Amino acid sequence: MAGAKTFDDIPLPYTSAKPLPTRQPTRSGSLKRGKTLTRPERHVVPAPLIAPPTADYDTGVIGDPRSGWDWWVIWSYATTFWAPPALLSLFGIKEKQSRQAWREKMTLCWIAILMGGVVGFATMGLQRALCPGGENGNEMFRRLGQDPMTLSIHGWVFNISTSLTQDNIDFYAISKALPGQDITSLFTRQASDYPECSSSARYASTPLCNPTIVKGSCALESPSDNTYTKLRIQNTSLLEGYSWDQVASLKNYIVIDGMVLNMSPYLDANPQPIQNDNVDFAIRHTIANQSTSGKDATMLFHHRQTSREAIKCLQSRYLAGRIDKITPGCFVANLFLYASLTIILGVVFVRFAMACIFNWFMSARLVKPPKDLARTAISPAVMPEGANMSVHNRTGTAPWAESKKPNKLGKSKLNSSSQTLVNGAAPDPLISLAKIGTELFTICLVTCYSEGEDSVRGTVESIAATNYSDSRKLIWIVCDGMITGQGEKMSTPDICVSMLDADPRFGNPMPMGFIAVGSGAKRENRAMVYAGHYVSKNGHRTPTIIVVKCGIPSEAKDKKPGNRGKRDSQLILMNFFSRVTYNDRMSPLDFDLFRKVQTLMGVTPDYFEVVLMVSRTCHLH
C-alpha cells in the first residue's frame, strides 16, 4: 500500500561496500559489565619492533598438532597392529582420520583395561601374592608354646611326636613344660662348628660342653641329620618365634637385630662378670636392667666396635629363635592396604565434611539475594549501533522498541515470541537487578547428534515443564552437524527447529563462522542460530536457542557436514561465556548469540550464573 509504513524489520546481512563498522566506545556509560577482567596471557605476543623476528620467533600461529609422528600415534599403531588399513576398509572405515580415531579409541580401551587389571590386582591379588598364608596363617614362624610336641634346635622347630625316649633326656617332658623351648645345649658341639667365632674373647672361646656345671649338657651327639634320624625328630623348616613379652619373661635371653639368643650356657660357664670385656658387660647389663622391656641389646652392641664385631659370633653360637613378626611381603601388603584405606576414607570423610560445611554455612549465602541491586546493563530495547539494523530501521534501535501498528487483520505483525520477558515492562534504555529481580539466570544445555523427535522432544519437554521460572531459564540446544538418524525422515537439526516457535524478529539465520575443535580444514566451522520459544504441553513458553553446526561450503557434500563432536558443542557455549565474561575478542557466531540471547532474555549474557547440562536421551523429574 502506497505511503503505508511496513515493519518487515528482519536483520539483514551487511551489504555496504564500506568496511564493517568497528566497535564504538560505550555511550554515557550505559553498556558495562560488572565482572570484566583482563587476561593478558591470552593474547599473542607481538613481534618486537626493534629486533626483527627470527625464524625461531613464535608468531602465535597454531599449526597442526598432528603434523608429525609422536609417541601417542606410535603407541596407537602398536596397540592396533592387528588391524591393518585394508581390514578397516572392509568394515567401512576408509578415511585416514577415521582410522586414526578408531585406533586411538581402541588404545584408550586397552589402557582402561590395563589400569582396571592393575587396580583389581592391587585390591585382590597383591595380598595373596606377597602374603600367601595371610597374617594369621604365616607359615614362617611357630610361636613359642603354641604347638605341643615341638622343641627348637638352633632356632628351628623340630617335631618330637615320634622321638625315642633317651635314658638321660626326656623330650616329651621338656616339651610338656614349654613347647618349642631351646634344647641346643643338649647337643655336643665343637668350636670348629662356628667359623664366625675366631676371637679369643670369652664369648667366643667359652666351652660349649660343661656337663659338670650344666646338667645334661652335651648329652646327645652333634646336631646333624644323622643324629636327628636316630632320635626320630623331624625338622619342620619353620623358625621358632618369640614375642617380646616371652623374651622378657625367660631367664638369660636377649635380642640382637631381631634374633633371640639363649645366653644360659655362657652365663653358667661364666657366673662372674669379666673385667674390661665390653661384650660381657653388654650381655649382663641387658639382662639385669631390661627384664621387663624385651631385653633388646641391639643398640648397646652397635655402640662400640668390639661388641659390634661379636654380633655374628653370638648369633651363631647361642641362637634360640627370632622375634615373631610378619614377613616383608605381608608388611608391604598391609602397608598398601592401610594406605589405600586411609586415602579412600580420607576422601570420603573430606567430601562429607565439605558437603556438610557447604550445606550448613555456604549454601544459604550463595542463594541469598544480592545486596547490589543497582547493577545496570543495556536494555534489549536499545541495541548497540550496527547490531540490529534493517532496511527500515537506520537508528540502531530494535524494531520491537517502536510502536507496533496493526496489519490488515488487526493483529500485531510480531507474535508472542517477540515480547520481552522481563516483567513485560515498557522499553527502557537501562535495566537493573532491582527491576528484573534476583532469581538466577540459568542455561540448560542439550547436545544432539542423530536423535529422533521423540528423544529430543522428551528431553526438552522435561526441561520446560520444570517449576523454575521460564523468564530465568534458557534452553540451549546444539545440533552437531547436518545429520539424519537411522530410520528418520528428517535430519536432527530440522527436528529441533520444527519444535521451536521461532521469533520472526530474527528472520532466517545466516551461517556464522567460529573456530572448532579440529585440525586442518576441520578447524573452521560455521553454525546457524535459531531463536524463539519452546511451548510445552502444560503451557510453559521457555526461551530457546538452537545452534545448528552446518559446516563450511567445502564440506557440503560430506556425509556429516559440520560435525565436530560433543566436546566442540560444549565449547561453543563455554567459549561464548568466557569471551563475554572476560571481554575477549568474539567470533561472528558469538556476536549472533549475544544479540539473540539478550533479546530473548532481556539481559546481557553476563547475567547468567548457572549452566546445567543433560543428555539428549535423559529426562528431568
Side-chain angles (χ1 to χ4, degrees), residues 354-396:
M354 293 174 63
C356 292
I357 294 174
F358 178 81
N359 185 38
W360 295 339
F361 304 105
M362 300 178 61
S363 59
R365 294 164 52 190
L366 292 176
V367 299
K368 68 179 182 180
K371 297 180 181 179
D372 183 15
L373 300 180
R375 176 187 173 189
T376 59
I378 190 170
S379 170
V382 180
M383 302 295 290
E385 182 177 357
N388 197 31
M389 284 188 176
S390 63
V391 176
H392 301 288
N393 180 13
R394 297 295 183 183
T395 63

Side-chain angles (χ1 to χ4, degrees), residues 89-152:
S89 300
L90 295 177
F91 289 93
I93 309 178
K94 300 181 179 180
E95 298 180 357
K96 184 177 180 181
Q97 292 183 345
S98 300
R99 293 173 183 170
Q100 180 60 25
W102 180 87
R103 294 182 187 277
E104 293 180 2
K105 290 180 180 179
M106 292 299 299
T107 303
L108 291 175
C109 291
W110 282 114
I111 292 176
I113 293 174
L114 180 61
M115 295 179 64
V118 171
V119 173
F121 174 77
T123 304
M124 298 179 292
L126 186 63
Q127 183 77 16
R128 297 181 180 179
L130 297 180
C131 190
E135 194 171 330
N136 296 328
N138 190 359
E139 297 297 332
M140 183 176 180
F141 294 98
R142 278 292 180 266
R143 179 66 64 86
L144 178 68
Q146 178 179 353
D147 295 341
M149 308 300 291
T150 59
L151 294 172
S152 66

Side-chain angles (χ1 to χ4, degrees), residues 342-476:
T342 302
I343 294 175
I344 294 174
L345 291 180
V347 171
V348 171
F349 283 118
V350 167
R351 294 185 64 176
F352 177 76
M354 293 174 63
C356 292
I357 294 174
F358 178 81
N359 185 38
W360 295 339
F361 304 105
M362 300 178 61
S363 59
R365 294 164 52 190
L366 292 176
V367 299
K368 68 179 182 180
K371 297 180 181 179
D372 183 15
L373 300 180
R375 176 187 173 189
T376 59
I378 190 170
S379 170
V382 180
M383 302 295 290
E385 182 177 357
N388 197 31
M389 284 188 176
S390 63
V391 176
H392 301 288
N393 180 13
R394 297 295 183 183
T395 63
T397 303
W400 58 93
E402 301 182 15
S403 60
K404 303 182 180 68
K405 292 186 178 181
N407 55 17
K408 293 182 179 180
L409 299 178
K411 298 181 179 180
S412 174
K413 184 175 181 66
L414 303 179
N415 66 2
S416 57
S417 283
S418 305
Q419 300 175 1
T420 304
L421 294 175
V422 182
N423 300 333
D428 191 357
L430 295 177
I431 56 176
S432 64
L433 286 178
K435 179 179 179 181
I436 65 177
T438 59
E439 192 176 11
L440 293 176
F441 283 91
T442 305
I443 282 189
C444 302
L445 176 62
V446 181
T447 57
C448 300
Y449 176 61
S450 61
E451 290 71 30
E453 181 175 0
D454 295 339
S455 177
V456 177
R457 185 179 292 275
T459 301
V460 178
E461 181 73 26
S462 66
I463 296 175
T466 56
N467 56 8
Y468 200 76
S469 174
D470 288 333
S471 62
R472 297 305 175 103
K473 66 184 176 187
L474 172 64
I475 300 178
W476 187 299

Side-chain angles (χ1 to χ4, degrees), residues 65 92 136 160 193 196 209 255 258 291 300 325 357 360 368 386 423 451 453 476 481 518 542 546 554 598 600:
N136 296 328
I160 64 166
D193 296 337
E196 300 88 351
C209 294
V255 178
S291 59
L300 191 58
K325 54 187 177 181
I357 294 174
W360 295 339
K368 68 179 182 180
N423 300 333
E451 290 71 30
E453 181 175 0
W476 187 299
T542 308
I546 300 178
S554 60
Q598 183 187 16
L600 283 176

